[in-house]
């Protein structure tokens, strides 16, 4: 194998290279699916959505719709030629409601017409007769009814009941965190084009082209090789286009199959929010035993997720939540129970963090409760319970934490911001301010990297070198704005030691790289970067042999560097060597493959090593609340994030900042609200509030942990970055609770769920003031 020298090229690994589509994004030249000119004869589709949370479908009469101008077809579940099932994990999840509609917004039928306006008008003409049925709309109702979409899950270690019984102190409580809409800038969209001999090509805004391929093939009764799915870029996804995109692509493909014409289905924002899943809301109930030092002796905790109407990805989300309910803490005696409850609301799905945020939210609520009870800083309780090195290092699911750097990360954060001084300034302010109260809190994060299902931890790539020295790269990862394409291109540029501008990445396609996993679980760079490196190294090895023969030296003396290939003082340009390889009839194309080592998981016992490694981070946040209105401002955020040896510091820093703000939205402003009939009332930007520019902290500092290469053999010792920073935003929620607690001299635990909207903050203020006033004078 030839030698790879330290990078001397422009845009190689570890450099802050610009996002490959940055200029296109800001100028509008980057084309998204709806920007591409329609082929002649293309039809536009619209959905018919159920107005009922739960109803039997008695009859569907499409006569008036079919008679409307420009209408080419109407399809229902009865028109599916294959199997009406797009479940990603469990069976029985139809693309179009079959016999029963199970939530308001459930697709019941679809219309194709020559314009979108005509399709929408015709959809309103489809006459559906419903028989309303009793609906389960609240988690408490689902728990009482025993309504689950999948079996309960348990992770358990030690003697929980005994530990709780003997604990010197014990607390029980509950807390809730809400869901979150993905609110991607580009909504769900797909274009299906029928070909000859039953082939069909689908362009989809999806994180998981292979799952779309499988779903379309299943619906149409086709083999997988008859369905090709492609995606060049998405305008955001955040997990919402992992499984949900299959619904849209499948219906578009069904209409294309029926009409023998291209069909585009693009959901309007209101319909997108009604019809597609969101982050899972959770109800957490805990019983914790501890001692006077704050050591957690026993914990019995139940995490109840609102799965919605079908399982979708809920079983996996719940598993990951349970695997992160320890966060950074060693729990010697613990029972973690997970319930995925069935309700007549839209099926919830993947969202950045995939259950991890809810699991960490749960344990941080417990740690805060213990600290408030002991009247000590939360940071002290955390340190008492942090995982150790060589001791107290086994997770509840049986994985040894081998790469523990949480102490270092927390020390860098606290030392960098002078936390004691900062806290003293907040307390001084609160003593002199009657109405505005400030809060300060920190948040440590330990986030596991890999899919919990070991099978998914694999990737493929395809690399071509052309005779002019330019390189074509294709891999199974998808680009949704996160910078995956430029990172993997940097890996290939680094391998060949050529400037990044010579590497071109093409659209992800099931026809080029088959059997791919979703671009999810923060593993895009880990998996696809390694697969691309494997392909590039194969080609580089062949090129080195040709160079060695040309220069009459051993292949071990061939050095690739600075766009050239050297043998001592002699050299060829990379392009010249590529031309020479072609003349010598040496292949300049290779497929690469990678599978993550070391991981395993036993679904029967919920034990194993589900993660290749952990990513660490820490945050400190200051907030201010108005105790008369509940208004909130996040004043300052200080973040430290572990990226290993960053592949691209500019991209990674942007991911940290974006994830934090998105997490802040989940915990503060983004409230999903259903009425008593199961209708989502927050289904657009006028009623659903994502963070805006004025919500971003005025002081917002992000540092990537320096000199901390990944201990595992990841791509150039980097670490995943997409999801871990989102959980740093839990510091904001804790800081709000700290501000509320200041009204009771920090003696009482605030009653404040998430999202901490002004209404909830005001209610928490009123509650804690009333409880504090009711205390005996000597207890205040």
């Amino acid at each position: 194998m030839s030698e790879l020298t330290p990078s001397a090229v422009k845009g190689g690994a570890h450099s802050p290279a610009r996002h490959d589509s940055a200029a296109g994004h800001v100028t509008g030249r980057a084309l998204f699916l709806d920007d591409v000119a329609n082929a002649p004869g293309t039809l536009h589709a619209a959905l018919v959505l159920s107005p009922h949370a739960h109803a039997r479908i008695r009859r569907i009469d499409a006569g008036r719709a079919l008679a409307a101008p420009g209408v080419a077809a109407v399809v229902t579940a009865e028109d599916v030629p294959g199997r009406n099932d797009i479940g990603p994990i469990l069976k029985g999840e139809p693309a179009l409601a079959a016999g029963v509609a199970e939530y308001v917004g459930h697709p019941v039928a679809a219309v194709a017409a020559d314009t979108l306006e005509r399709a929408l008008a015709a959809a309103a003409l489809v006459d559906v007769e419903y028989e309303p049925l009793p609906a389960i709309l609240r988690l408490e109702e689902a728990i009482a009814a025993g309504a689950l979409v999948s079996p309960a899950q348990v992770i358990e270690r030690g003697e929980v009941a005994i530990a709780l019984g003997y604990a010197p102190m014990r607390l029980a409580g509950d807390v809730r965190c809400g869901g979150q809409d993905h609110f991607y800038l580009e909504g769900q969209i797909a274009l299906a084009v029928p070909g000859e001999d039953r082939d069909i090509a689908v362009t989809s805004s999806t994180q998981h082209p292979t799952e779309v391929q499988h779903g379309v093939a299943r619906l149409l009764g086709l083999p997988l090789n008859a369905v090709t799915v492609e995606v060049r870029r998405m305008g955001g996804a955040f997990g919402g286009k992992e499984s949900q995109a299959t619904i849209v692509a499948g219906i578009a493909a069904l209409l294309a199959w029926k009409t023998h014409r291209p069909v585009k289905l693009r959901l309007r924002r209101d319909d997108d929010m009604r019809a597609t899943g969101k982050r899972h809301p959770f109800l957490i109930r805990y019983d914790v035993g501890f001692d006077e030092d704050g050591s957690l002796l026993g914990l019995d905790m139940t995490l109840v997720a609102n799965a919605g109407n079908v399982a979708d990805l809920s079983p996996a989300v719940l598993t990951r939540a349970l695997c992160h309910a320890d966060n950074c803490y060693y729990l010697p005696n613990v029972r973690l129970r997970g319930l995925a409850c069935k309700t007549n609301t839209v099926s919830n799905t993947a969202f950045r963090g995939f259950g991890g945020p809810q699991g960490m939210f749960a344990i941080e609520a417990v740690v805060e409760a213990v600290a408030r009870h002991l009247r000590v800083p939360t940071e002290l309780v955390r340190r008492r319970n942090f995982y150790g090195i060589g001791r107290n290092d086994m997770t509840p699911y049986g994985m040894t934490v081998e790469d523990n750097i949480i102490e270092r990360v927390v020390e860098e954060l606290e030392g960098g911001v002078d936390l004691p001084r900062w806290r003293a300034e907040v307390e001084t302010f609160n003593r002199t301010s009657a109405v505005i109260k400030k809060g300060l809190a920190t948040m440590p994060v330990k986030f596991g990297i890999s899919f919990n299902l070991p099978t998914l931890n694999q990737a493929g790539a395809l690399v071509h070198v052309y005779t002019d020295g330019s390189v074509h790269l294709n891999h199974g990862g998808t680009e949704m704005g996160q910078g995956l394409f430029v990172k993997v291109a940097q890996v290939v540029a680094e391998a060949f030691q050529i400037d990044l501008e010579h590497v071109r990445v093409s659209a992800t396609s099931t026809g080029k790289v088959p059997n791919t996993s979703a671009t999810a679980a923060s593993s895009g760079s880990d998996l696809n970067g390694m697969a691309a490196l494997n392909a590039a190294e194969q080609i580089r090895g062949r090129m080195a042999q040709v160079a060695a023969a040309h220069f009459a030296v051993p292949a071990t003396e061939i050095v690739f560097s600075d766009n050239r290939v050297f043998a001592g003082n002699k050299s060829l340009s990379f392009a010249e060597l590529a031309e020479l390889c072609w003349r010598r009839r040496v292949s300049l194309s290779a497929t690469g493959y990678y599978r993550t080592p070391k991981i395993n998981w036993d679904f029967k016992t919920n034990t194993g090593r589900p993660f290749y490694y952990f990513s660490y981070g820490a945050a400190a946040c200051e907030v201010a609340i108005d105790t008369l209105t509940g208004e909130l401002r996040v004043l300052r955020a200080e973040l430290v994030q572990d990226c290993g040896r960053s592949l691209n510091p500019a991209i990674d820093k942007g991911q940290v900042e974006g994830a934090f703000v998105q997490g802040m939205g989940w915990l503060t402003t983004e409230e999903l609200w259903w009425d008593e009939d199961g209708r989502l009332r927050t289904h657009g930007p006028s009623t659903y509030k994502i963070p805006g520019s004025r919500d971003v902290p005025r002081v917002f500092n992000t540092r990537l942990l320096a000199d901390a290469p990944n201990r595992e053999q990841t791509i150039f010792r980097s670490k995943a970055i997409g999801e871990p920073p989102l959980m740093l935003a839990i510091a904001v929620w804790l800081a709000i609770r700290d501000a509320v607690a200041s009204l009771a001299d920090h003696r009482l635990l605030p009653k404040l769920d998430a999202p901490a909207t002004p209404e909830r903050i005001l209610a928490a203020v009123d509650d804690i003031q009333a409880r504090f006033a009711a205390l005996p004078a000597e207890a205040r």
Side-chain angles (χ1 to χ4, degrees):
M1 179 59 68
S2 59
E3 181 183 349
L4 181 62
T5 63
S7 182
V9 296
K10 297 177 182 177
H14 314 301
S15 68
R18 188 175 66 182
H19 191 291
D20 59 296
S21 297
H25 287 160
V26 298
T27 60
R29 291 198 301 270
L31 297 179
F32 295 88
L33 179 48
D34 209 30
D35 297 323
V36 178
N38 295 323
T42 297
L43 299 171
H44 299 265
L47 300 180
V48 179
L49 304 178
S50 168
H52 300 283
H54 195 200
R56 186 170 288 107
I57 301 170
R58 287 295 191 184
R59 179 180 58 86
I60 300 177
D61 184 352
R64 289 196 302 154
L66 288 169
V71 174
V74 176
V75 293
T76 67
E78 295 182 354
D79 294 296
V80 175
R83 186 155 53 92
N84 185 17
D85 189 352
I86 54 171
I89 297 178
L90 303 179
K91 295 180 180 179
E93 301 182 14
L96 289 168
V100 177
E102 293 198 306
Y103 66 94
V104 175
H106 200 162
V108 171
V111 178
D114 56 3
T115 68
L116 178 59
E117 291 73 19
R118 285 178 165 178
L120 292 168
L125 298 177
V126 176
D127 182 21
V128 184
E129 181 183 333
Y130 297 96
E131 177 190 342
L133 300 170
I136 296 175
L137 301 175
R138 303 287 180 263
L139 269 177
E140 290 81 1
E141 299 171 32
I143 295 170
L148 303 176
V149 299
S150 60
Q153 300 181 35
V154 179
I155 292 177
E156 187 169 4
R157 174 174 61 193
E159 301 291 341
V160 179
I162 294 174
L164 288 173
Y166 280 99
M169 302 177 190
R170 189 170 175 176
L171 291 172
D174 62 75
V175 66
R176 296 171 182 266
C177 55
Q180 185 179 22
D181 190 83
H182 303 87
F183 218 88
Y184 23 63
L185 289 178
E186 177 202 34
Q188 298 279 0
I189 183 171
L191 172 67
V193 180
E196 61 182 59
D197 194 26
R198 299 199 307 159
D199 285 0
I200 189 161
V202 179
T203 308
S204 172
S205 184
T206 177
Q207 295 172 245
H208 201 343
T210 291
E211 186 167 308
V212 170
Q213 179 193 35
H214 288 194
V216 169
R218 198 178 304 131
L219 288 168
L220 300 185
L222 298 174
L224 295 176
N225 64 3
V227 181
T228 302
V229 178
E230 180 174 295
V231 53
R232 170 58 182 91
R233 63 170 58 85
M234 289 165 276
F238 311 114
K241 296 176 180 177
E242 184 173 342
S243 64
Q244 301 289 289
T246 307
I247 302 171
V248 175
I251 294 172
L254 177 61
L255 284 164
W257 170 84
K258 184 162 186 175
T259 61
H260 305 289
R261 292 168 64 179
V263 174
K264 179 189 286 186
L265 174 54
R266 174 177 60 82
L267 300 189
R268 297 177 299 177
R269 178 69 61 183
D270 286 342
D271 290 343
D272 194 315
M273 292 187 72
R274 290 188 182 103
T276 65
K278 314 179 188 315
R279 187 188 295 282
H280 293 70
F282 268 60
L283 165 64
I284 298 110
R285 292 171 173 165
Y286 64 85
D287 185 355
V288 61
F290 53 99
D291 62 20
E292 58 276 2
D293 292 329
S295 297
L296 303 180
L297 305 178
L299 175 63
D300 190 353
M301 186 157 64
T302 300
L303 290 83
V304 185
N306 186 339
N309 71 304
V310 293
D312 190 75
L313 296 169
S314 296
V317 169
L318 193 59
T319 301
R320 200 168 186 90
L322 295 176
C323 286
H324 285 84
D326 60 333
N327 194 11
C328 303
Y329 315 117
Y330 176 71
L331 306 172
N333 301 285
V334 59
R335 182 186 300 116
L336 303 170
R337 289 176 285 195
L339 303 175
C341 288
K342 178 182 176 70
T343 62
N344 292 113
T345 56
V346 61
S347 177
N348 289 310
T349 190
F351 200 124
R352 196 177 199 169
F354 204 79
Q358 296 95 320
M360 290 190 197
F361 177 93
I363 190 62
E364 291 304 325
V366 171
V367 170
E368 185 208 11
V370 170
R372 295 280 180 216
H373 184 83
L374 296 174
R375 296 188 63 191
V376 299
T378 306
E379 291 78 15
L380 179 61
V381 176
R382 288 181 178 140
R383 279 196 165 86
R384 296 272 192 224
N385 295 282
F386 274 157
Y387 279 109
I389 297 175
R391 51 175 289 277
N392 294 344
D393 58 0
M394 183 75 72
T395 66
Y397 46 89
M399 177 178 173
T400 301
V401 182
E402 300 172 342
D403 57 2
N404 188 356
I405 58 171
I406 191 59
E407 291 273 11
R408 178 195 164 186
V409 172
V410 169
E411 286 172 4
E412 288 212 13
L413 171 74
E414 294 182 358
V417 301
D418 193 353
L419 190 63
R421 180 179 176 180
W422 189 0
R423 192 175 299 283
E425 290 172 352
V426 169
E427 291 173 354
T428 299
F429 176 89
N430 284 342
R431 282 195 295 269
T432 59
S433 177
V435 175
I436 306 299
K437 294 294 182 181
K438 289 185 176 180
L440 172 62
T442 61
M443 175 66 191
V445 167
K446 172 184 69 67
F447 189 81
I449 303 300
S450 292
F451 290 97
N452 271 73
L453 179 62
T455 301
L456 298 177
N457 294 284
Q458 58 177 305
L462 177 64
V463 175
H464 305 314
V465 176
Y466 295 101
T467 54
D468 65 351
S470 63
V471 176
H472 175 98
L473 166 64
N474 191 273
H475 56 79
T478 57
E479 176 62 50
M480 59 198 90
Q482 85 280 36
L484 175 63
F485 273 23
V486 70
K487 279 188 168 185
V488 180
Q490 285 179 272
V491 168
V492 172
E494 187 76 18
F496 289 127
Q497 284 293 288
I498 59 177
D499 291 345
L500 181 61
E501 64 183 21
H502 299 310
V503 182
R504 183 176 293 273
V505 188
S506 61
T508 308
S509 171
T510 59
K512 290 185 176 181
V513 176
N515 310 319
T516 60
S517 297
T519 304
S522 300
S523 61
S525 296
D526 283 3
L527 295 175
N528 297 287
M530 288 295 268
L533 179 63
N534 175 253
E537 286 181 335
Q538 292 178 53
I539 299 172
R540 195 183 71 212
R542 298 175 204 150
M543 295 180 76
Q545 293 291 337
V546 173
H550 177 74
F551 291 119
V553 298
T556 54
E557 294 183 15
I558 299 298
V559 176
F560 288 71
S561 179
D562 198 16
N563 298 289
R564 300 191 69 80
V565 183
F566 294 87
N569 293 326
K570 300 177 182 178
S571 69
L572 291 171
S573 72
F574 184 80
E576 289 171 335
L577 180 56
E579 171 79 14
L580 181 60
C581 288
W582 176 73
R583 292 185 180 278
R584 299 282 173 86
R585 295 183 295 175
V586 172
S587 172
L588 292 174
S589 177
T591 57
Y593 179 77
Y594 174 75
R595 66 176 187 174
T596 308
K598 297 186 178 181
I599 55 175
N600 61 85
W601 186 251
D602 186 330
F603 285 94
K604 293 181 179 179
T605 62
N606 282 330
T607 58
R609 178 175 178 164
F611 309 122
Y612 189 26
Y613 63 89
F614 293 100
S615 175
Y616 298 85
C621 295
E622 178 185 345
V623 305
I625 63 170
D626 187 325
T627 60
L628 299 181
T629 66
E631 185 180 1
L632 163 71
R633 287 286 183 271
V634 182
L635 304 177
R636 180 182 175 188
E638 302 283 347
L639 316 180
V640 175
Q641 182 61 47
D642 163 35
C643 298
R645 191 178 177 210
S646 173
L647 277 178
N648 185 319
I651 294 292
D652 285 352
K653 188 174 181 180
Q655 284 292 292
V656 173
E657 293 170 347
F660 176 84
V661 173
Q662 189 171 54
M664 192 175 76
W666 167 51
L667 295 162
T668 59
T669 63
E670 297 187 44
E671 183 177 30
L672 294 164
W673 191 82
W674 280 265
D675 65 18
E676 64 279 1
D677 295 318
R679 293 173 294 187
L680 179 64
R681 292 300 194 177
T682 49
H683 51 76
S686 64
T687 51
Y688 185 79
K689 177 69 171 66
I690 64 171
S693 58
R694 293 185 179 182
D695 296 306
V696 175
R698 294 178 184 176
V699 180
F700 193 8
N701 296 313
T702 300
R703 285 181 289 153
L704 304 184
L705 191 68
D707 301 320
N710 198 333
R711 298 184 188 186
E712 297 295 347
Q713 294 182 8
T714 53
I715 184 68
F716 299 146
R717 301 290 178 168
S718 62
K719 282 192 176 184
I721 192 61
E723 294 171 301
L726 186 138
M727 276 125 312
L728 297 176
I730 295 176
V732 172
W733 179 70
L734 293 171
I736 299 168
R737 291 170 64 89
D738 185 64
V740 174
S742 72
L743 294 165
D745 195 26
H746 298 284
R747 296 171 185 264
L748 299 175
L749 184 68
K751 295 180 179 179
L752 178 65
D753 294 331
T757 60
E759 294 89 344
R760 285 200 176 99
I761 292 173
L762 194 57
V765 165
D766 290 345
D767 172 79
I768 205 166
Q769 287 178 327
R771 285 190 288 134
F772 189 59
L775 290 176
E778 62 273 14
R780 294 183 200 170

